[in-house]
Amino acid sequence: MAEQSYIYQAGWLVRNYLLADHLVACTSVLVGIYMCKMAYDVTHMISSLYYKGYASLTKIQRIEWNNRGMSSAHAIFITVMSLYLVFFSDLFSDCTEGPVIFRSSSLSIFTLGVSVGYFVSDLAMIFWLYPSLGGIEYVLHHLLSATAISYTMLSGEGQLYTYMVLISETTTPGINLRWFLDTAGMKKSSAYLVNGVMMFIAWLVARILLFIYLFYYIYLYYDQADAHVRLPSYFAGTRSTIYHEHHVVYKDSKGTQKDTSQAAMIVDVHKFPV
């Protein structure tokens, strides 16, 4: 009886609180922030146990190491959810009535909120340790991303296109793994080479071919008048976000060439817990 009672209470909580439309956005952002904290701590715990070189990293390197673990966790989550919602769920299916640009669900809103929570958390860390975790290009990228995702989350408009853009996060784990291998002194290893090849393939598919398909879908499956009336304000933010995303990735790949231990001299990292 006690087990059944707990199940009933959990179901009531999900139906009446977690999936209540007016509370989904706020709840999901808080969940996203909490998930980031968990991912940061889990990365620290696993790295301490299974990577002997972790203890020899500088404090700022360990913070960035854990931060990139958090980033990878978000990228995996948002990629999986985006693929499901765009290609496998009925939300954006042709069988569903109504304009696809206005379709949303509690699950799609909740997923976007989790992503907003990640960008808020990562932006807070960037400001706290500025500029050790990234310069102005990271700040602009995160602000534009959080703004664009928040708009579509709160308005319910353009969520299909937002999720198609978010599929490009599939390249983020590879970028972070490149940094992990470089920091661990494995730049000449076969793993580094294989990861580079996989990054190229993922980039080609998720950040080039997918965007070609996205614009093909928009301008061929919607009449021009409808597209010009409804999409400009949304895509103005999206185009800016895409531009800064590519700029950030370029800066990130160049940044792995420098001695990150020097960053410890830039900021008093002792005020930030590892």
Side-chain angles (χ1 to χ4, degrees), residues 205-272:
V205 174
R207 294 185 182 267
I208 298 177
L209 298 180
L210 181 64
F211 285 110
I212 293 175
Y213 173 78
L214 172 59
F215 287 106
Y216 172 85
Y217 180 88
I218 293 169
Y219 288 106
L220 288 189
Y221 288 88
Y222 290 90
D223 62 71
Q224 295 296 316
D226 186 61
H228 285 300
V229 168
R230 294 177 178 175
L231 298 182
S233 62
Y234 169 75
F235 275 100
T238 303
R239 282 195 299 267
S240 299
T241 302
I242 294 170
Y243 169 77
H244 282 283
E245 174 75 15
H246 285 74
H247 183 65
V248 163
V249 171
Y250 172 76
K251 294 284 286 187
D252 185 75
S253 63
K254 299 293 286 185
T256 57
Q257 305 299 324
K258 66 182 180 180
D259 181 7
T260 53
S261 64
Q262 295 178 358
M265 302 173 61
I266 300 175
V267 64
D268 180 12
V269 297
H270 294 289
K271 61 185 179 181
F272 193 92

Side-chain angles (χ1 to χ4, degrees), residues 120-152:
V120 170
S121 300
D122 204 32
L123 191 60
M125 290 191 66
I126 291 173
F127 279 133
W128 187 263
L129 298 172
Y130 190 84
S132 298
L133 295 183
I136 189 64
E137 68 278 358
Y138 282 82
V139 174
L140 290 175
H141 167 263
H142 280 42
L143 287 174
L144 287 170
S145 298
T147 300
I149 296 173
S150 296
Y151 171 79
T152 191

Side-chain angles (χ1 to χ4, degrees), residues 21 85 91-92 96 99-110 112 152-160 163:
D21 288 341
L85 289 168
L91 180 60
F92 305 116
T96 305
V100 70
I101 193 173
F102 295 122
R103 294 182 195 171
S104 64
S105 67
S106 295
L107 180 60
S108 68
I109 294 172
F110 183 84
L112 291 174
T152 191
M153 174 185 68
L154 296 173
S155 68
E157 299 180 12
Q159 291 195 2
L160 170 62
Y163 278 116

Side-chain angles (χ1 to χ4, degrees), residues 31-63:
V31 169
I33 294 173
Y34 179 71
M35 288 175 63
C36 286
K37 171 60 175 172
M38 287 184 58
Y40 185 96
D41 291 341
V42 169
T43 302
H44 170 67
M45 180 181 66
I46 293 177
S47 300
S48 300
L49 293 175
Y50 297 102
Y51 174 49
K52 295 180 179 179
Y54 182 77
S56 64
L57 298 176
T58 64
K59 189 158 188 174
I60 190 62
Q61 284 179 318
R62 291 198 299 272
I63 291 174

